Every structure is written in C-alpha cells, then in structure tokens.
Amino acid sequence: MKLYIKPGACSMASHIILAEIGGDYAVEIVDTANGETAGGANYREINPKGKVPALEVDGEVLTEGPAILQFLGDRAANLGLAPTGGTMARARVNEVLNFTGTELHVAFGPLFAANSTDAQKEAARQAVAGKLDWLEGKLADGRAHLTGEDFTIADAYAFVVVNWANSTGIALTRWPHILAFMKRVGARPAVQRVLKAEGLVA
C-alpha cells in the first residue's frame, strides 16, 4: 500500500489514518507543480487528476481524500475510526467529512492562490471564520471530538484543514473549543509522527 502526499496538504489526513492503523505502508511525496513524484515518476500516469492524495492498494489507485479515509477506516473496523455503515454515527462522520471537503477546504483556497488580491484573501478569511463557527458549535457541548468522544477519520481531515489557519493569518484563539480540539488531536502519537515525517514540526 502506497500513499502519495504533499506535505501539509489535505493528504496528511490519510497519512494520519495510516499511522493510526499501523502496519506496512509507504509514503511518497509528489511535487504537484511539476507533476512528478519523489521517485521521478510522472504523477499523472498514477493519478490523472494530478492532485493528492492517491492510494495504491491491491493493484488499484484510489483518489479523493474522503473516499480514501473511509476505505482505510473500514479496513481497520476494529479501531473505530469509521463507524459502521448505515448507522447515524457513520452519517455524522460523513457529514463532517463532507463539510470539511466542500466548505472549509474550499474556503481556504484563495489564501493559497498566488494571484489572489489582498481583498480576496480578506474575504476568504471571513469565509473561513464562518466555517470555523460551525465546527466550534459542534464542540461546544464538551465532546472530545467532532462527532462524539471517539477520534474518527472526520477528525483527522478537519485537523489538517483547520491547521492551515496557522499559515494564513487566522488566529484560532477566537474559537476556544477548536483550539482545545487541535491540541488534543495534535498530541496523538500517530499525529505527532506524521507531523514530523512531513516536516511540520521538528
């Protein structure tokens, strides 16, 4: 099993889940700007979309972060990273996964675009703030994680995307429940290993 990543990108969520599961897997960095893997392969021959993550497994390539997260969570059902399909618990995890991917992740886009104006970046920060308000509300009842007490694939994805606030001028102190959530998830041994492996912490 091999995961293709870009350090600090949304692919880090899949990297975290692989680290939580353990076992044998490989990780290869992709330069998405020039479309080349660290090993010198043409990445578009692996994933025609040219995006990360992509997961090579059992002779196939799976793309799209939320799909990979659910696949990995289901493969390690004993760890509780993805609740059983057809349950409300699984629907809640999917709810947060979809929100993170289609709302929060997208809202950050202009903050990473080289051609964004200052006005566009400020508008994006306001948009991100609105999305963070929703996550803050999910955590306001004192739950440890976004869908309850247990850490799931949804928490891994949200953690990675919310972490982009640190490099885009958004202070998380406005959202104390999110800030506490980030500290809890960031302290997990698997998350610490991935942060180090991707060069985000010393």
Side-chain angles (χ1 to χ4, degrees):
M1 189 180 301
K2 179 187 283 188
L3 179 69
Y4 292 90
I5 70 161
K6 180 178 179 179
C10 59
S11 52
M12 187 165 73
S14 298
H15 195 179
I16 286 170
I17 296 304
L18 279 172
E20 291 279 349
I21 294 169
D24 293 330
Y25 65 88
V27 173
E28 187 165 355
I29 292 174
V30 177
D31 183 336
T32 53
N34 68 15
E36 188 173 79
T37 71
N42 179 348
Y43 184 58
R44 285 194 178 271
E45 293 181 357
I46 298 165
N47 177 11
K49 298 172 184 174
K51 306 284 188 179
V52 293
L55 182 71
E56 284 185 344
V57 58
D58 300 333
E60 296 191 43
V61 175
L62 181 63
T63 65
E64 301 298 332
I68 292 170
L69 290 169
Q70 290 179 75
F71 174 79
L72 293 174
D74 288 339
R75 294 254 296 200
N78 60 307
L79 299 181
L81 296 167
T84 304
T87 63
M88 181 57 75
R90 180 57 169 266
R92 290 300 184 192
V93 165
N94 289 343
E95 178 183 33
V96 174
L97 278 178
N98 288 335
F99 175 83
T100 302
T102 64
E103 299 285 341
L104 183 60
H105 189 155
V106 171
F108 269 103
L111 296 172
F112 293 109
N115 60 349
S116 291
T117 65
D118 288 344
Q120 288 171 326
K121 288 183 177 180
E122 182 54 33
R125 290 188 186 96
Q126 293 301 317
V128 168
K131 311 308 179 186
L132 293 177
D133 286 343
W134 187 80
L135 291 180
E136 180 76 1
K138 296 292 285 184
L139 295 162
D141 61 3
R143 65 184 66 185
H145 298 97
L146 287 166
T147 61
E149 289 307 306
D150 297 329
F151 174 83
T152 73
I153 56 176
D155 297 299
Y157 190 13
F159 171 83
V160 170
V161 178
V162 171
N163 196 53
W164 297 342
N166 295 316
S167 59
T168 55
I170 300 171
L172 292 178
T173 50
R174 173 175 161 183
W175 300 277
H177 295 295
I178 291 178
L179 195 59
F181 163 82
M182 294 296 287
K183 289 178 180 177
R184 278 193 298 276
V185 175
R188 295 178 70 86
V191 176
Q192 281 293 305
R193 290 197 300 274
V194 170
L195 289 170
K196 290 175 183 175
E198 296 199 11
L200 274 69
V201 298

